Amino acid sequence: MATFKALSRGSQIVLVAGPLLLVSLFFTWQHVEVDYGRAGVATVSLDGWDAWGLLLALLALSTVVLVALQRFTEGELSEDVSWPTITLGLGVAIFAVALVKNLTDAGSSWLSYGFVGLAGAVLVGTYLDWADGRKREKPALEGKRRGLRSIA
């Protein structure tokens, strides 16, 4: 638990919201009405496992694994690759796929909008890690003034 608390806030968010998003695919994402003619109409609850759901699961799994590899392993990842930018791209893709899935599903349940919120949390977590990495790479100009002099 001490190792988890030592992580950045963005990594903590990704490592909590990512697996929750994977588990959410087993819950009801939509309610579809099936008309059986004279026999009546039935409402069928469908989980999140369709083509969009599979893509969402693969993206979420790859993001969680990449963040875990960056934060928990002793092995070195290539310095030539901008890993925070890649995880940010994966976070954007997760949110976009979850949003498209929810908007294109017929009869989306109210709970599926919460699952899109989980995808948004993954996006926020990857953004926080990306912004933190940018701050460390290019610190703000401290104390440098150009063209201004103190008169006093």
Side-chain angles (χ1 to χ4, degrees):
M1 192 62 169
T3 306
F4 184 76
K5 286 183 180 180
L7 295 174
S8 68
R9 181 68 62 196
S11 295
Q12 289 176 349
I13 292 171
V14 170
L15 292 175
V16 170
L20 287 176
L21 184 61
L22 281 172
V23 171
S24 76
L25 291 171
F26 292 100
F27 291 102
T28 300
W29 277 70
Q30 64 188 115
H31 299 288
V32 177
E33 290 187 0
V34 179
D35 186 9
Y36 291 108
R38 292 174 47 160
V41 177
T43 302
V44 179
S45 299
L46 299 176
D47 59 16
W49 289 104
D50 57 1
W52 289 110
L54 180 62
L55 180 59
L56 183 62
L58 292 174
L59 288 170
L61 186 62
S62 61
T63 304
V64 169
V65 167
L66 185 58
V67 169
L69 281 175
Q70 288 175 341
R71 305 296 183 224
F72 291 127
T73 62
E74 298 290 327
E76 293 181 19
L77 297 174
S78 175
E79 296 290 329
D80 298 334
V81 179
S82 176
W83 295 109
T85 305
I86 290 173
T87 56
L88 177 64
L90 287 169
V92 169
I94 287 170
F95 182 71
V97 168
L99 190 62
V100 167
K101 174 180 176 25
N102 200 26
L103 292 176
T104 59
D105 281 347
S108 293
S109 69
W110 62 271
L111 193 57
S112 66
Y113 294 102
F115 299 149
V116 173
L118 279 175
V122 172
L123 173 60
V124 168
T126 57
Y127 174 76
L128 289 175
D129 277 348
W130 176 80
D132 187 43
R134 297 274 297 181
K135 244 192 286 187
R136 281 183 274 140
E137 285 177 8
K138 299 177 183 177
L141 298 175
E142 295 179 14
K144 290 188 178 181
R145 293 190 224 178
R146 298 179 189 243
L148 297 175
R149 287 189 302 201
S150 175
I151 297 175

